[in-house]
Each structure stands twice: as C-alpha cells, then as structure tokens.
Amino acid sequence: KHLKKGIIVAKETEVRYSPSYTGVVAFKLAEGMKTQIIREQGSWSHIRLNKEKSGWIESEAIEAVW
C-alpha cells in the first residue's frame, strides 16, 4: 500500500506523540516540508518524516499531494 505524500501548509506545526492537544510535542515542522501521511484519525494525521521521526499533526496543517 502506498503512503500518501503531504506538504506542510501551516507556517509552523507541532508534531505530537499522540493525536491530542495534550500530547507531548516531539518536534516542529515548517511550512513547505514534505512528509508521508500514514493515516488519519479524526482531525489528526499521523505523519512520518523518516525512520526516526514520526508523530501526529492537525490535519489542516498538511495537504495531501497524492
């Protein structure tokens, strides 16, 4: 199954360890960065930057490219 590619459209978005505003912030992404979208849950998207970096962001902060 191919993962969707996404591009960050928010100026800066916080990537969290869980799909919740109470989730700990793992790292931040800047506008224009490309990621893989693993899955979506509610208003959150599970994204992966690379093997070491993945987490949850608000779905409105990312736009699927395909």
Side-chain angles (χ1 to χ4, degrees):
K1 178 185 155 204
H2 288 289
L3 294 175
K4 282 195 283 188
K5 295 260 194 290
I7 190 159
I8 302 297
V9 292
K11 199 89 187 136
E12 183 182 70
T13 190
E14 294 176 327
V15 183
R16 299 176 187 271
Y17 286 118
S18 57
S20 158
Y21 291 110
T22 56
V24 177
V25 175
F27 54 96
K28 292 180 181 184
L29 291 177
E31 187 175 5
M33 290 191 76
K34 292 181 175 72
T35 72
Q36 289 179 318
I37 302 170
I38 301 166
R39 64 191 171 105
E40 280 144 349
Q41 182 180 310
S43 60
W44 294 86
S45 292
H46 193 199
I47 57 111
R48 179 184 292 139
L49 211 54
N50 53 41
K51 273 196 186 87
E52 293 82 34
K53 286 190 158 188
S54 66
W56 295 87
I57 64 171
E58 294 168 81
S59 294
E60 64 187 28
I62 191 165
E63 205 169 276
V65 192
W66 78 77

